[in-house]
Amino acid sequence: MSNDITKLRFSYNTGGVSSKSVNREIDVYELHRIVTSGDDQPKSYDDLPDLSLRLYRETDPAAKKTAKDTLSKAKIQIPIFILGGHCPNGHNNATLSVNGCTQADADFHYADGDIEAQTLLQRIHDTKPAGVILATLSPGTYGVKILLWTDCLDKDRHGEAQKIALERLAKSLQIDPGVFDRLAASQPCFAPYERKKGSTFFNAHATP
């Protein structure tokens, strides 16, 4: 297992989650540049915080379903990353060249969850947890997208390694590990373009 961050490779596709086009292979510095530059950011991206606010503060079941559908339609237009490695096409474990990284999604899908997300992101800036390469607010701002580096290159043990890594990360950040989604190695990640300049955490000296 190499500790050289420059050798990590990821996938990027501007066509979104259902695209049939070839994924672009990128390194960690290009990933960071894309997130912070806003390249390829669709117009619908600017609507996501308000759509999320409407969803998580809605109490009427019918109106909540409508808000959820509207948010989903806006999100599928966003380009995607595959943070667990590189797939030539699509996103599946069978063709994934793993890099040891996992996508850690801390979600706060409820009213005022955006404030909790901002608080968590600031804590990451302040504490620089082990293994965290990059962290930024999710597209809807009610969560934090985290690129977490582990030393597991075995696709069959990804779930086991992820569970341990997320538990350690949660302990480091003093939060409930239940806030993190458990995701497949090839899980696509909606590109979390930076909304406020300098808000993205990036550690080019991180190690697994």
Side-chain angles (χ1 to χ4, degrees):
M1 173 83 193
S2 172
N3 286 1
D4 185 354
I5 201 170
T6 67
K7 293 183 178 179
L8 293 178
R9 293 295 180 268
F10 310 88
S11 290
Y12 180 58
N13 195 311
T14 58
V17 70
S18 59
S19 175
K20 302 299 182 183
S21 62
V22 174
N23 292 327
R24 179 177 152 203
E25 186 174 335
I26 60 173
D27 65 15
V28 71
Y29 293 102
E30 179 65 359
L31 189 154
H32 177 250
R33 188 198 68 76
I34 292 169
V35 168
T36 55
S37 71
D39 284 2
D40 312 312
Q41 179 178 310
K43 291 181 179 179
S44 63
Y45 196 82
D46 291 336
D47 300 330
L48 295 177
D50 285 341
L51 293 176
S52 298
L53 176 66
R54 190 181 310 168
L55 170 61
Y56 301 130
R57 292 193 176 178
E58 183 57 69
T59 56
D60 178 72
K64 195 173 187 71
K65 182 181 185 305
T66 299
K68 184 176 182 180
D69 291 344
T70 303
L71 177 61
S72 296
K73 288 177 182 177
K75 286 175 69 175
I76 61 173
Q77 300 176 43
I78 305 173
I80 61 159
F81 293 113
I82 298 173
L83 299 181
H86 177 63
C87 285
N89 296 89
H91 40 89
N92 59 82
N93 283 3
T95 62
L96 179 72
S97 296
V98 296
N99 56 16
C101 293
T102 188
Q103 174 184 334
D105 276 4
D107 290 327
F108 304 97
H109 292 170
Y110 44 80
D112 298 327
D114 54 337
I115 296 173
E116 291 213 35
Q118 292 172 24
T119 299
L120 177 59
L121 180 58
Q122 185 58 54
R123 193 175 303 159
I124 292 172
H125 276 280
D126 293 341
T127 62
K128 300 176 177 58
V132 175
I133 297 175
L134 183 146
T136 195
L137 291 179
S138 62
T141 71
Y142 279 72
V144 180
K145 298 281 189 185
I146 302 169
L147 174 58
L148 182 61
W149 195 4
T150 81
D151 61 2
C152 179
L153 294 176
D154 184 346
K155 281 186 278 192
D156 294 333
R157 302 191 70 187
H158 170 80
E160 179 185 352
Q162 182 184 67
K163 180 177 184 294
I164 295 170
L166 292 181
E167 287 174 349
R168 291 182 180 178
L169 178 60
K171 184 176 182 181
S172 172
L173 294 171
Q174 298 181 324
I175 60 174
D176 183 347
V179 306
F180 290 113
D181 281 345
R182 297 283 298 278
L183 304 170
S186 57
Q187 177 77 24
C189 171
F190 291 118
Y193 299 113
E194 183 178 71
R195 295 185 182 279
K196 180 181 178 182
K197 188 172 178 60
S199 60
T200 298
F201 171 82
F202 182 63
N203 182 8
H205 303 291
T207 54

